[in-house]
């Protein structure tokens, strides 16, 4: 058997995260979109997106997640949903719900959209609108009700941080009022704009402990609702398993066509891979970017000899690079990392108490506002 005839042993992706645009009507200071938004104005056209979705399905992807920014800012979102649905993919709209009019919802329903996830910033209008940077709470509430009326499963996603985590009980109650089938209580991940605002967003240990107790109580009380609670890994003993392993289960395509093993990988000093220049199957299987940290051979110590190397895969490559300048380092979140002091210092400085809350966040701008 020649090398060209060798069987393909690379994993198949479970899902494609299609970041259709970074344009967004909200200005959340915890957004993980890249800081250089102005570099993503040259978006893929409809034909390109349809090709990318088809190639992802060829690779074995079963899920199509449409995100951004705000995917409803794209006029062709219905066409992209229809294409994914016709290919047999489970389609999920990840949205702020601004722009989800009844007419748009009916078109998406007819196109075969399977699921809607709506982001909620807080449980009441003042806090929600302040975080979002625009009046949006009432429209989100109405849109969530409409989603349930149309028969879609509804996920309510709430990014938790120092300034809203103390109202986690009320947030879950709001999700219950909206008829959410799934509630994602996800503590902020510190990439993009969230990295700039980390000191104002990182909760204290006491806040986290109270929140965990409340989540346990609500899970017992709401057994028919799936409540997912994602803890901030700065307080964890071990790092999160980044995307289920680098280029193992998920892939992302950014608005400009960059293909990425995870949504935050734009910052890494690795060779670029673009669907404008190469097919998605080639990028997934052959590109230097997708093979850079696949498997375990790249791992340094202590990861290489750790019995958790196939559990957390050395942690997050983007976080390792962000905090140490070296994407191949052990994620500093891990208590075994030689760089763990970097995380401990942040927790001591910011997360030790609930005092000194910083109200002002650096807001995420609209891409056109960047020069």
């Amino acid at each position: 058997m020649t090398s060209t005839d060798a069987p393909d042993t690379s994993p198949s992706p479970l899902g494609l995260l299609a970041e259709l645009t970074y344009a967004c009507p909200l200005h959340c200071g915890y957004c993980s979109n890249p800081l250089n938004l102005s570099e993503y104005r040259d978006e893929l056209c409809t034909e390109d997106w349809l090709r990318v979705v088809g190639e992802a399905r060829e690779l074995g992807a079963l899920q199509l997640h449409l995100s951004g920014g705000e995917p409803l800012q794209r006029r062709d979102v219905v066409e992209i949903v229809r294409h994914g649905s016709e290919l047999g993919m489970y389609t999920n709209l990840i949205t702020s719900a601004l722009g989800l009019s009844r007419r748009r919802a009916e078109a998406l329903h007819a196109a075969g959209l399977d699921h809607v996830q709506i982001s909620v910033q807080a449980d009441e209008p003042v806090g929600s609108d302040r975080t979002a940077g625009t009046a949006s709470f009432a429209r989100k509430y109405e849109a969530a009700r409409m989603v349930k009326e149309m028969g879609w499963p509804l996920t309510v996603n709430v990014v938790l941080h120092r300034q809203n985590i103390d109202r986690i009980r009320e947030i879950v109650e709001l999700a219950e009022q909206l008829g959410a089938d799934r509630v994602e209580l996800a503590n902020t991940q510190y990439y993009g704009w969230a990295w700039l605002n980390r000191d104002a967003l990182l909760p204290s240990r006491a806040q986290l402990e109270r929140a965990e107790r409340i989540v346990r109580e609500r899970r017992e009380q709401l057994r028919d609702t799936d409540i997912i609670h994602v803890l901030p890994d700065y307080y964890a003993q071990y790092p999160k398993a980044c995307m289920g392993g680098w280029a193992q289960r998920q892939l992302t395509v950014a608005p400009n066509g960059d293909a990425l093993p995870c949504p935050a990988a734009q910052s890494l000093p690795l060779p670029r891979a673009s669907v404008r220049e190469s097919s998605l199957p080639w990028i997934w299987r052959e590109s230097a970017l997708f093979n850079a940290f696949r498997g375990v051979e790249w791992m340094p110590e202590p990861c290489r000899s750790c019995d958790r190397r196939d559990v957390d895969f050395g942690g997050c490559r983007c976080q390792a690079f962000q905090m140490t300048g070296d994407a191949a380092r052990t994620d500093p979140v891990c208590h075994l990392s030689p760089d763990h002091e970097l995380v401990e210092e942040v927790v001591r400085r910011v997360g030790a108490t609930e005092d000194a809350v910083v109200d002002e966040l650096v807001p995420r701008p609209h891409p056109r506002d960047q020069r």
Side-chain angles (χ1 to χ4, degrees):
M1 179 181 291
T2 66
S3 60
T4 55
D5 295 328
D8 176 31
T9 58
S10 61
S12 295
L14 174 63
L16 166 66
L17 175 63
E19 296 186 319
L20 301 183
T21 179
Y22 285 149
C24 185
L26 305 188
H27 306 279
C28 306
Y30 55 71
C31 182
S32 60
N33 281 170
L35 299 178
N36 54 335
L37 291 170
S38 61
E39 297 182 15
Y40 294 86
R41 293 173 182 164
D42 183 18
E43 298 175 356
L44 294 179
C45 67
T46 305
E47 182 179 349
D48 285 335
W49 274 119
L50 298 182
R51 172 178 58 83
V52 166
V53 171
E55 290 177 349
R57 185 68 189 94
E58 285 177 30
L59 273 170
L62 299 174
Q63 301 171 356
L64 173 59
H65 305 281
L66 303 166
S67 182
E70 174 48 67
L72 291 172
Q73 299 255 326
R74 290 278 302 216
R75 295 180 179 178
D76 55 1
V77 65
V78 172
E79 188 174 351
I80 295 170
V81 166
R82 181 179 296 109
H83 186 59
S85 181
E86 289 173 348
L87 291 173
M89 302 177 81
Y90 185 87
T91 53
N92 175 31
L93 179 69
I94 303 170
T95 178
S96 68
L98 275 65
L100 189 61
S101 64
R102 173 71 66 169
R103 180 177 179 182
R104 202 84 181 278
E106 289 174 349
L108 287 164
H109 196 278
L113 183 68
D114 293 298
H115 181 272
V116 178
Q117 174 178 311
I118 295 179
S119 65
V120 173
Q121 283 67 40
D123 64 288
E124 43 79 32
V126 174
S128 177
D129 295 349
R130 181 179 66 244
T131 300
T134 188
S136 56
F137 181 84
R139 285 183 283 175
K140 286 172 179 286
Y141 196 96
E142 293 170 4
R145 288 298 182 90
M146 180 176 62
V147 165
K148 294 303 296 182
E149 288 173 11
M150 298 191 68
W152 276 311
L154 171 65
T155 292
V156 169
N157 173 269
V158 185
V159 176
L160 298 175
H161 48 82
R162 176 180 284 262
Q163 299 183 36
N164 71 357
I165 195 169
D166 290 330
R167 294 189 62 83
I168 195 168
R169 186 186 302 278
E170 291 83 358
I171 287 169
V172 175
E173 288 174 355
L174 172 65
E176 183 184 7
Q177 292 172 20
L178 295 174
D181 302 280
R182 179 184 174 96
V183 184
E184 292 183 357
L185 304 168
N187 272 272
T188 304
Q189 302 297 307
Y190 295 105
Y191 309 109
W193 298 91
W195 175 256
L196 290 184
N197 290 308
R198 183 179 61 178
D199 286 9
L201 294 170
L202 184 67
S204 72
R205 193 178 299 277
Q207 285 180 302
L208 288 172
E209 290 173 353
R210 288 197 300 270
E212 286 186 74
R213 288 196 298 271
I214 292 169
V215 171
R216 285 196 296 270
E217 292 173 7
R218 299 304 284 158
R219 280 178 174 152
E220 287 296 315
Q221 296 163 357
L222 302 174
R223 292 183 177 272
D224 293 333
T225 303
D226 188 15
I227 301 179
I228 306 300
H229 189 202
V230 181
L231 299 176
D233 52 359
Y234 277 40
Y235 289 94
Q237 185 178 20
Y238 297 105
K240 60 180 177 292
C242 182
M243 306 299 293
W246 182 272
Q248 293 291 318
R249 299 172 61 187
Q250 302 288 336
L251 64 100
T252 297
V253 176
N256 66 344
D258 284 350
L260 303 162
C262 81
Q266 298 103 328
S267 62
L268 299 184
L270 293 170
R272 180 172 169 267
S274 174
V275 298
R276 295 184 191 269
E277 301 163 3
S278 305
S279 72
L280 203 57
W282 183 89
I283 291 172
W284 176 263
R285 297 181 180 123
E286 306 293 338
S287 69
L289 172 61
F290 275 68
N291 283 289
F293 302 112
R294 190 177 259 158
V296 299
E297 294 304 314
W298 62 272
M299 290 183 176
E301 293 293 350
C303 296
R304 181 180 288 270
S305 58
C306 181
D307 59 6
R308 289 180 58 86
R309 64 184 178 274
D310 294 317
V311 177
D312 55 39
F313 309 102
C316 177
R317 300 300 88 224
C318 301
Q319 189 157 258
F321 176 72
Q322 207 163 228
M323 301 189 81
T324 73
D326 183 355
R329 297 281 286 182
T330 300
D331 188 336
V333 160
C334 182
H335 76 289
L336 300 173
S337 166
D339 304 303
H340 186 58
E341 169 61 24
L342 296 173
V343 174
E344 291 182 322
E345 191 279 328
V346 174
V347 172
R348 282 196 301 268
R349 177 170 51 83
V350 179
T353 72
E354 298 172 47
D355 299 331
V357 173
V358 181
D359 290 326
E360 293 300 322
L361 302 178
V362 178
R364 174 208 185 276
H366 191 285
R368 67 169 177 264
D369 297 330
Q370 289 194 329
R371 298 292 184 265

